[in-house]
Amino acid sequence: MTGPLTAPPPADRAAPDRLTTRAFVDEHIVPYAEEYDRAGSLPDELLDRIAGAGLWAPFLPASLGGADTDMVTLGAIHEEVGRGCSSVRSLLTVHTMVSWALRRWGSPEQLDRWGRELATGRTLGAFCLSEPGTGSDTDSLTTTATPRDGGWVLSGVKKWTTNGQRADLFLVFARGPVSTVALLVPRDTPGVRVTPIEDMLGTRASMLAEISFSEVALGPDALLGPSGFASGMLLTGTLDLGRYSVAAGCVGIIQRCVDACAAYTSRRTVAGSLLRDLPLIRAKLSDMVTDLRAARLLCAEAGRLKDEGDPATIMATWVAKYFASTAAARHAAEAVQVHGANGCGTRYPVARLYRDAKVMEIIEGSNEIQRITIAGEAYQEWVR
């Protein structure tokens, strides 16, 4: 293992929630977010602290080292982290996806092997679906998983892998003999090569990488879930949880825009008057606050449906992510406008928020795909 934690967190640690996460973010993330953005990476010390706070996979059961956190609380946690830094939240997102997939579809042996490692952050996970020539379209995957000697041989290239530079365990989706399969691939397996991707527009510290698999030999225990099942419920459920995390993180971006603009306009003057006293500024803040509350409620509803096991959560998450990401991009642009030339520099966080928010409109299902999907739901209801 190459994970950051050298010892498990205290057994008597309280389960994380919004308030404890907010305090953690304000102390360990907010003051350093611009530094992380410039460096294009996150320090191991921060990864250690995240593990110590129990934030990597708190929804895992206590028997595996988690805290049995419900999905509504998980969304609040990811919102608070997103308020501090979208790159950090992105790491939580992909680690959550791998951990959730293992919990839902892993065999007892896989849970025993990886569960506690993921819960404590000793092993960090990454999600490998996108390829150089395709995004979330599993029908176009070129990475192949070929049965051989009772196991698998994996070949292909994955791109835009969040935390790929740092992760210890990859959840890889590949074209199998009949349909898509999901494989758990340790980073140190022979034939795995990691190439950093740098100088991105946003989430610059999320440590993206291209992951190449050259005739990687895996045992039968690498297969997650029944063979041929990955393109159905496993992939759908995992992407849904990632989409939920991104939506919550977008709420965090909007909150940070509100905070930044309220603080700036309360100090900045023009023609002898505070910016906060100008009607146009108040209109912008009013729109931010309204969309912030709406997006937070949409995320809470999606989380509640997840906790209840209601399949309607899939569409609720689509709607939450679409609304929250478009609102985050819109209000981050307005936040830069409110700050004027100062908003284009690094002294204030809004330039980073602007760049990060744009990424949110693309990842975990682009907004164009979301609009098609959400409209399709409306037509299904009409047909009934």
Side-chain angles (χ1 to χ4, degrees):
M1 301 302 160
T2 58
L5 201 62
T6 57
D12 58 351
R13 180 193 57 215
D17 58 17
R18 179 186 290 277
L19 292 179
T20 59
T21 305
R22 180 179 300 163
F24 177 89
V25 169
D26 286 340
E27 180 178 359
H28 299 296
I29 297 178
V30 169
Y32 311 106
E34 304 306 321
E35 178 183 332
Y36 300 154
D37 188 70
R38 288 191 294 271
S41 63
L42 300 174
D44 283 352
E45 179 184 6
L46 175 63
L47 306 186
D48 283 344
R49 291 185 183 279
I50 292 172
L55 297 178
W56 283 116
F59 57 89
L60 288 177
S63 60
L64 292 176
D68 291 299
T69 301
D70 60 80
M71 286 292 126
V72 172
T73 301
L74 183 71
I77 289 171
H78 285 205
E79 176 194 326
E80 291 296 332
V81 174
R83 177 179 62 85
C85 177
S86 291
S87 292
V88 180
R89 194 271 310 146
S90 293
L91 264 64
L92 291 187
T93 298
V94 294
H95 187 83
T96 291
M97 295 167 80
V98 175
S99 302
W100 182 88
L102 180 78
R103 177 186 181 182
R104 179 65 181 84
W105 301 111
S107 66
E109 293 77 17
Q110 288 171 327
L111 285 167
D112 183 65
R113 173 72 178 87
W114 298 111
R116 185 167 291 275
E117 294 290 322
L118 291 168
T120 58
R122 284 192 295 253
T123 288
L124 297 184
F127 180 82
C128 297
L129 177 62
S130 296
E131 298 181 351
T134 184
S136 56
D137 178 14
T138 57
D139 291 337
S140 301
L141 292 180
T142 59
T143 298
T144 59
T146 305
R148 185 179 299 174
D149 299 329
W152 301 88
V153 174
L154 180 65
S155 295
V157 178
K158 296 295 183 178
K159 199 166 185 179
W160 316 120
T161 301
T162 297
N163 199 29
Q165 297 179 32
R166 185 65 183 76
D168 310 289
L169 181 67
F170 300 113
L171 175 57
V172 183
F173 291 84
R175 180 180 295 279
V178 177
S179 61
T180 304
V181 298
L183 299 170
L184 294 169
V185 184
R187 179 194 188 94
D188 58 5
T189 307
V192 176
R193 186 174 75 252
V194 176
T195 304
I197 299 174
E198 299 172 337
D199 295 327
M200 295 296 292
L201 171 70
T203 62
R204 293 171 60 86
S206 60
M207 297 185 285
L208 292 172
E210 178 179 279
I211 316 296
S212 300
F213 305 96
S214 179
E215 295 288 308
V216 176
L218 302 166
D221 57 339
L223 181 68
L224 185 64
S227 181
F229 198 61
S231 58
M233 293 183 66
L234 195 159
L235 183 55
T236 298
T238 306
L239 287 173
D240 172 69
L241 197 58
R243 200 168 291 126
Y244 176 61
S245 172
V246 171
C250 288
V251 178
I253 290 175
I254 303 171
Q255 180 67 70
R256 190 69 188 282
C257 288
V258 171
D259 295 343
C261 289
Y264 183 78
T265 58
S266 295
R267 296 189 302 265
R268 180 76 170 181
T269 60
V270 57
S273 298
L274 288 171
L275 282 179
R276 64 178 292 171
D277 295 329
L278 300 179
L280 281 175
I281 296 297
R282 287 186 170 253
K284 292 179 188 296
L285 265 291
S286 176
D287 289 346
M288 285 184 193
V289 171
T290 301
D291 281 352
L292 168 65
R293 295 192 177 194
R296 184 175 287 141
L297 287 172
L298 286 171
C299 287
E301 174 70 359
R304 180 185 66 79
L305 292 171
K306 284 175 176 32
D307 287 327
E308 295 176 358
D310 191 327
T313 188
I314 300 292
M315 182 52 59
T317 302
W318 275 109
V319 172
K321 196 270 181 180
Y322 172 63
F323 182 88
S325 63
T326 55
R330 182 169 61 254
H331 294 309
E334 290 283 36
V336 173
Q337 195 74 17
V338 167
H339 283 68
N342 284 328
C344 299
T346 58
R347 180 181 174 186
Y348 298 91
V350 292
R352 173 174 53 84
L353 296 173
Y354 176 76
R355 291 184 285 103
D356 288 349
K358 183 62 215 176
V359 175
M360 302 307 121
E361 293 192 298
I362 298 170
I363 62 174
E364 302 305 334
S366 70
N367 284 1
E368 289 75 17
I369 292 176
Q370 290 175 314
R371 295 176 79 175
I372 293 171
T373 304
I374 294 168
E377 175 76 0
Y379 283 115
Q380 286 183 1
E381 291 294 329
W382 181 79
V383 169
R384 293 176 188 171

